[in-house]
Amino acid sequence: TRTFDRKAVALQRTGQLGTYASSLGQEAVGVGIGSAMRVEDVLVPSYREYGAQLLRGVQMRELLQYWGGDERGSDFAETRHDFPICVPVASHFPHAVGVAFALKTRGDAAALAIAGDGATSKGDFYEAINAAGLWHLPVVFVINNNQGAISVPRTHQTAAETLAQKAIAAGIEGIQVDGNDVVAVRDAVGVALEKARDGEGPSLIEAITYRLSDHTTADDASRYRGREELGVAWARDPVARLQRYLHQHQHWDEQREQALVADCRQRIQSAVDRYLA
């Protein structure tokens, strides 16, 4: 996910890709979600969940085509149960409710919608969680709390002490999870999805993380946050954290790391070549 992200930013900087939203620092959320979902579940994403989308079978060239402003030749919506990327903030939460309503009549599957903390300040969000709670739908809402809606910090968006507690008004369960810990995200999302599939209703998960990049390649985050804040966030980098954990438990080593990176680069370059062609 991170290697793809780095390549996509480079393509944009060289005029080969449109404005792009980086997932730098938030990879554990997307990967944790994607690894917890079953094939029959439905992902309704926003625009940073590349890890989840790749795990769900979305092709890298399709993601590049999307950000390149050209979806011709993409079979995104035809070959999978997932929705295409949704950009308008929070507008896809009601869509996820509609999907979950359909899934409830069909059987053992759940919908999962994800968006940033800014989405919880929108009316679409409240309407969606209210309907989901009322109708006891098989849906999980994940809030990627990366600490800012572009330049607006969470503390300037809402007086709520946490975003997870907003679930209380809808009569559904709300929990917080460390969004920089891929194992914790995988566990929390897995439990919530099982609950939804078993007919026990919806959940809201607030994954606390941090956007290490600019909001998009059209943004300059240095205008609204300082180096010290960014330095503290880098110390909690989810990828480095996972690497340390795996090394400490002797599940990983430098040789396998290098082989993985080389394989990622090769696959990404192949996708880039197809996109550019």
Side-chain angles (χ1 to χ4, degrees):
T1 303
R2 180 161 292 187
T3 307
F4 169 80
D5 196 79
R6 188 180 298 117
K7 184 65 173 179
V9 171
L11 287 171
Q12 191 281 330
R13 297 305 192 204
T14 54
Q16 300 175 91
L17 195 68
T19 300
Y20 173 78
S22 171
S23 65
L24 185 65
Q26 301 160 85
E27 297 92 347
V29 178
V31 172
I33 286 170
S35 62
M37 297 183 73
R38 292 180 182 172
V39 172
E40 61 269 24
D41 294 332
V42 178
L43 175 66
V44 186
S46 54
Y47 47 77
R48 295 186 200 276
E49 289 73 56
Y50 309 122
Q53 291 164 319
L54 293 171
L55 281 166
R56 298 286 292 164
V58 177
Q59 301 299 306
M60 285 181 281
R61 66 173 177 82
E62 294 177 307
L63 295 175
L64 293 171
Q65 282 174 242
Y66 173 82
W67 288 111
D70 180 8
E71 295 186 78
R72 291 173 299 172
S74 172
D75 51 6
F76 198 120
E78 285 73 30
T79 59
R80 281 169 293 279
H81 299 292
D82 301 340
F83 272 33
I85 303 169
C86 186
V87 171
V89 176
S91 64
H92 59 308
F93 279 129
H95 297 164
V97 169
V99 171
F101 196 92
L103 291 176
K104 186 176 182 178
T105 68
R106 281 169 34 185
D108 186 23
L112 186 147
I114 178 169
D117 47 287
T120 67
S121 299
K122 296 289 294 296
D124 314 66
F125 166 76
Y126 291 102
E127 294 168 23
I129 64 171
N130 182 70
L134 177 64
W135 295 332
H136 208 62
L137 298 179
V139 58
V140 176
F141 302 102
V142 178
I143 304 303
N144 179 358
N145 182 1
N146 61 17
Q147 311 304 316
I150 309 181
S151 61
V152 182
R154 195 196 70 78
T155 53
H156 291 186
Q157 295 178 52
T158 178
E161 190 171 330
T162 72
L163 300 181
Q165 71 192 57
K166 293 190 175 188
I168 297 171
I172 67 178
E173 182 181 20
I175 68 166
Q176 281 186 329
V177 66
D178 184 347
N180 285 348
D181 182 344
V182 68
V183 178
V185 174
R186 168 65 178 83
D187 179 64
V189 173
V191 169
L193 285 170
E194 280 297 326
K195 172 187 164 187
R197 297 187 199 106
D198 291 342
E200 297 177 20
S203 302
L204 186 149
I205 298 172
E206 176 188 2
I208 302 174
T209 181
Y210 192 88
R211 171 169 53 83
L212 293 172
S213 66
D214 297 326
H215 174 66
T216 70
T217 50
D219 176 43
D220 178 8
S222 66
R223 295 177 301 161
Y224 50 83
R225 67 184 183 192
R227 291 183 180 179
E228 184 176 350
E229 176 185 333
L230 195 57
V232 171
W234 268 108
R236 297 194 294 267
D237 172 10
V239 174
R241 181 174 176 176
L242 180 62
Q243 287 172 330
R244 286 194 299 270
Y245 177 85
L246 293 174
H247 278 288
Q248 289 168 2
H249 290 79
Q250 299 179 334
H251 297 312
W252 200 242
D253 55 46
E254 188 61 32
Q255 184 177 357
R256 278 184 284 187
E257 175 79 17
Q258 292 178 0
L260 174 65
V261 171
D263 178 63
C264 288
R265 287 175 176 167
Q266 188 276 325
R267 287 191 288 151
I268 290 165
Q269 190 57 53
S270 177
V272 169
D273 290 343
R274 291 190 67 185
Y275 160 70
L276 295 176

PDB file of all heavy atoms in Angstrom, residues 146-164:
ATOM      1  N   ASN A 146      -8.217  10.795  11.361  1.00  0.00           N
ATOM      2  CA  ASN A 146      -6.820  11.164  11.094  1.00  0.00           C
ATOM      3  C   ASN A 146      -6.498  12.572  11.596  1.00  0.00           C
ATOM      4  O   ASN A 146      -5.536  13.190  11.166  1.00  0.00           O
ATOM      5  CB  ASN A 146      -6.487  11.012   9.609  1.00  0.00           C
ATOM      6  CG  ASN A 146      -7.335  11.911   8.719  1.00  0.00           C
ATOM      7  OD1 ASN A 146      -7.950  12.872   9.177  1.00  0.00           O
ATOM      8  ND2 ASN A 146      -7.359  11.600   7.431  1.00  0.00           N
ATOM      9  N   GLN A 147      -7.349  13.068  12.483  1.00  0.00           N
ATOM     10  CA  GLN A 147      -7.139  14.305  13.238  1.00  0.00           C
ATOM     11  C   GLN A 147      -7.417  15.592  12.484  1.00  0.00           C
ATOM     12  O   GLN A 147      -7.156  16.685  13.002  1.00  0.00           O
ATOM     13  CB  GLN A 147      -5.715  14.357  13.833  1.00  0.00           C
ATOM     14  CG  GLN A 147      -5.288  13.116  14.583  1.00  0.00           C
ATOM     15  CD  GLN A 147      -6.239  12.744  15.710  1.00  0.00           C
ATOM     16  OE1 GLN A 147      -6.671  13.612  16.474  1.00  0.00           O
ATOM     17  NE2 GLN A 147      -6.581  11.473  15.806  1.00  0.00           N
ATOM     18  N   GLY A 148      -7.960  15.485  11.266  1.00  0.00           N
ATOM     19  CA  GLY A 148      -8.246  16.730  10.569  1.00  0.00           C
ATOM     20  C   GLY A 148      -9.086  16.558   9.326  1.00  0.00           C
ATOM     21  O   GLY A 148      -8.859  15.645   8.545  1.00  0.00           O
ATOM     22  N   ALA A 149     -10.085  17.427   9.153  1.00  0.00           N
ATOM     23  CA  ALA A 149     -10.854  17.488   7.917  1.00  0.00           C
ATOM     24  C   ALA A 149     -10.180  18.544   7.042  1.00  0.00           C
ATOM     25  O   ALA A 149     -10.474  19.735   7.144  1.00  0.00           O
ATOM     26  CB  ALA A 149     -12.306  17.853   8.199  1.00  0.00           C
ATOM     27  N   ILE A 150      -9.235  18.110   6.236  1.00  0.00           N
ATOM     28  CA  ILE A 150      -8.297  18.960   5.516  1.00  0.00           C
ATOM     29  C   ILE A 150      -7.539  19.795   6.560  1.00  0.00           C
ATOM     30  O   ILE A 150      -6.725  19.252   7.293  1.00  0.00           O
ATOM     31  CB  ILE A 150      -8.958  19.845   4.438  1.00  0.00           C
ATOM     32  CG1 ILE A 150      -9.846  18.968   3.514  1.00  0.00           C
ATOM     33  CG2 ILE A 150      -7.870  20.525   3.593  1.00  0.00           C
ATOM     34  CD1 ILE A 150     -10.520  19.747   2.393  1.00  0.00           C
ATOM     35  N   SER A 151      -7.853  21.074   6.703  1.00  0.00           N
ATOM     36  CA  SER A 151      -7.108  21.924   7.632  1.00  0.00           C
ATOM     37  C   SER A 151      -7.816  22.124   8.971  1.00  0.00           C
ATOM     38  O   SER A 151      -7.277  22.783   9.866  1.00  0.00           O
ATOM     39  CB  SER A 151      -6.856  23.294   6.996  1.00  0.00           C
ATOM     40  OG  SER A 151      -8.096  23.933   6.712  1.00  0.00           O
ATOM     41  N   VAL A 152      -9.010  21.552   9.110  1.00  0.00           N
ATOM     42  CA  VAL A 152      -9.795  21.787  10.330  1.00  0.00           C
ATOM     43  C   VAL A 152      -9.591  20.637  11.317  1.00  0.00           C
ATOM     44  O   VAL A 152      -9.986  19.501  11.040  1.00  0.00           O
ATOM     45  CB  VAL A 152     -11.295  21.927  10.002  1.00  0.00           C
ATOM     46  CG1 VAL A 152     -12.095  22.218  11.265  1.00  0.00           C
ATOM     47  CG2 VAL A 152     -11.507  23.022   8.971  1.00  0.00           C
ATOM     48  N   PRO A 153      -8.997  20.910  12.477  1.00  0.00           N
ATOM     49  CA  PRO A 153      -8.776  19.845  13.466  1.00  0.00           C
ATOM     50  C   PRO A 153     -10.087  19.348  14.065  1.00  0.00           C
ATOM     51  O   PRO A 153     -11.100  20.069  14.057  1.00  0.00           O
ATOM     52  CB  PRO A 153      -7.897  20.510  14.524  1.00  0.00           C
ATOM     53  CG  PRO A 153      -8.177  21.961  14.388  1.00  0.00           C
ATOM     54  CD  PRO A 153      -8.451  22.195  12.932  1.00  0.00           C
ATOM     55  N   ARG A 154     -10.075  18.146  14.585  1.00  0.00           N
ATOM     56  CA  ARG A 154     -11.296  17.552  15.126  1.00  0.00           C
ATOM     57  C   ARG A 154     -11.918  18.417  16.226  1.00  0.00           C
ATOM     58  O   ARG A 154     -13.143  18.523  16.348  1.00  0.00           O
ATOM     59  CB  ARG A 154     -10.994  16.156  15.681  1.00  0.00           C
ATOM     60  CG  ARG A 154     -12.254  15.331  15.934  1.00  0.00           C
ATOM     61  CD  ARG A 154     -11.983  14.145  16.830  1.00  0.00           C
ATOM     62  NE  ARG A 154     -11.700  14.553  18.199  1.00  0.00           N
ATOM     63  CZ  ARG A 154     -12.632  14.914  19.077  1.00  0.00           C
ATOM     64  NH1 ARG A 154     -13.896  14.969  18.719  1.00  0.00           N
ATOM     65  NH2 ARG A 154     -12.295  15.255  20.308  1.00  0.00           N
ATOM     66  N   THR A 155     -11.078  19.048  17.029  1.00  0.00           N
ATOM     67  CA  THR A 155     -11.575  19.874  18.137  1.00  0.00           C
ATOM     68  C   THR A 155     -12.363  21.087  17.660  1.00  0.00           C
ATOM     69  O   THR A 155     -13.130  21.670  18.430  1.00  0.00           O
ATOM     70  CB  THR A 155     -10.407  20.357  19.016  1.00  0.00           C
ATOM     71  OG1 THR A 155      -9.427  21.000  18.176  1.00  0.00           O
ATOM     72  CG2 THR A 155      -9.758  19.201  19.742  1.00  0.00           C
ATOM     73  N   HIS A 156     -12.193  21.475  16.388  1.00  0.00           N
ATOM     74  CA  HIS A 156     -12.941  22.601  15.829  1.00  0.00           C
ATOM     75  C   HIS A 156     -14.179  22.147  15.053  1.00  0.00           C
ATOM     76  O   HIS A 156     -14.905  22.978  14.504  1.00  0.00           O
ATOM     77  CB  HIS A 156     -12.042  23.424  14.901  1.00  0.00           C
ATOM     78  CG  HIS A 156     -10.961  24.156  15.620  1.00  0.00           C
ATOM     79  ND1 HIS A 156     -10.108  25.047  14.990  1.00  0.00           N
ATOM     80  CD2 HIS A 156     -10.578  24.145  16.927  1.00  0.00           C
ATOM     81  CE1 HIS A 156      -9.244  25.536  15.876  1.00  0.00           C
ATOM     82  NE2 HIS A 156      -9.517  25.000  17.050  1.00  0.00           N
ATOM     83  N   GLN A 157     -14.388  20.823  15.011  1.00  0.00           N
ATOM     84  CA  GLN A 157     -15.535  20.282  14.278  1.00  0.00           C
ATOM     85  C   GLN A 157     -16.692  19.917  15.189  1.00  0.00           C
ATOM     86  O   GLN A 157     -17.852  20.024  14.806  1.00  0.00           O
ATOM     87  CB  GLN A 157     -15.138  19.003  13.534  1.00  0.00           C
ATOM     88  CG  GLN A 157     -14.134  19.157  12.436  1.00  0.00           C
ATOM     89  CD  GLN A 157     -13.823  17.786  11.856  1.00  0.00           C
ATOM     90  OE1 GLN A 157     -14.738  17.053  11.485  1.00  0.00           O
ATOM     91  NE2 GLN A 157     -12.560  17.431  11.785  1.00  0.00           N
ATOM     92  N   THR A 158     -16.362  19.432  16.384  1.00  0.00           N
ATOM     93  CA  THR A 158     -17.396  18.886  17.250  1.00  0.00           C
ATOM     94  C   THR A 158     -17.015  19.045  18.713  1.00  0.00           C
ATOM     95  O   THR A 158     -15.824  19.007  19.056  1.00  0.00           O
ATOM     96  CB  THR A 158     -17.636  17.391  16.936  1.00  0.00           C
ATOM     97  OG1 THR A 158     -18.628  16.871  17.833  1.00  0.00           O
ATOM     98  CG2 THR A 158     -16.365  16.572  17.081  1.00  0.00           C
ATOM     99  N   ALA A 159     -18.021  19.192  19.576  1.00  0.00           N
ATOM    100  CA  ALA A 159     -17.782  19.273  21.014  1.00  0.00           C
ATOM    101  C   ALA A 159     -17.822  17.900  21.665  1.00  0.00           C
ATOM    102  O   ALA A 159     -17.560  17.769  22.863  1.00  0.00           O
ATOM    103  CB  ALA A 159     -18.814  20.183  21.672  1.00  0.00           C
ATOM    104  N   ALA A 160     -18.151  16.863  20.877  1.00  0.00           N
ATOM    105  CA  ALA A 160     -18.185  15.507  21.412  1.00  0.00           C
ATOM    106  C   ALA A 160     -16.789  15.103  21.882  1.00  0.00           C
ATOM    107  O   ALA A 160     -15.795  15.369  21.202  1.00  0.00           O
ATOM    108  CB  ALA A 160     -18.686  14.531  20.357  1.00  0.00           C
ATOM    109  N   GLU A 161     -16.722  14.450  23.026  1.00  0.00           N
ATOM    110  CA  GLU A 161     -15.427  14.045  23.569  1.00  0.00           C
ATOM    111  C   GLU A 161     -14.746  13.019  22.674  1.00  0.00           C
ATOM    112  O   GLU A 161     -13.525  13.016  22.514  1.00  0.00           O
ATOM    113  CB  GLU A 161     -15.612  13.486  24.978  1.00  0.00           C
ATOM    114  CG  GLU A 161     -14.310  13.266  25.724  1.00  0.00           C
ATOM    115  CD  GLU A 161     -14.533  12.926  27.176  1.00  0.00           C
ATOM    116  OE1 GLU A 161     -15.541  13.380  27.745  1.00  0.00           O
ATOM    117  OE2 GLU A 161     -13.693  12.188  27.742  1.00  0.00           O
ATOM    118  N   THR A 162     -15.552  12.123  22.090  1.00  0.00           N
ATOM    119  CA  THR A 162     -15.042  11.151  21.129  1.00  0.00           C
ATOM    120  C   THR A 162     -16.017  11.080  19.958  1.00  0.00           C
ATOM    121  O   THR A 162     -17.180  11.479  20.081  1.00  0.00           O
ATOM    122  CB  THR A 162     -14.911   9.743  21.740  1.00  0.00           C
ATOM    123  OG1 THR A 162     -16.228   9.191  21.928  1.00  0.00           O
ATOM    124  CG2 THR A 162     -14.156   9.775  23.062  1.00  0.00           C
ATOM    125  N   LEU A 163     -15.557  10.550  18.843  1.00  0.00           N
ATOM    126  CA  LEU A 163     -16.451  10.336  17.712  1.00  0.00           C
ATOM    127  C   LEU A 163     -17.219   9.038  17.887  1.00  0.00           C
ATOM    128  O   LEU A 163     -18.347   8.905  17.397  1.00  0.00           O
ATOM    129  CB  LEU A 163     -15.653  10.310  16.408  1.00  0.00           C
ATOM    130  CG  LEU A 163     -14.863  11.588  16.095  1.00  0.00           C
ATOM    131  CD1 LEU A 163     -14.128  11.442  14.770  1.00  0.00           C
ATOM    132  CD2 LEU A 163     -15.763  12.818  16.085  1.00  0.00           C
ATOM    133  N   ALA A 164     -16.635   8.090  18.590  1.00  0.00           N
ATOM    134  CA  ALA A 164     -17.295   6.806  18.818  1.00  0.00           C
ATOM    135  C   ALA A 164     -18.598   6.978  19.581  1.00  0.00           C
ATOM    136  O   ALA A 164     -19.581   6.271  19.330  1.00  0.00           O
ATOM    137  CB  ALA A 164     -16.365   5.869  19.586  1.00  0.00           C
TER     138      ALA A 164
END
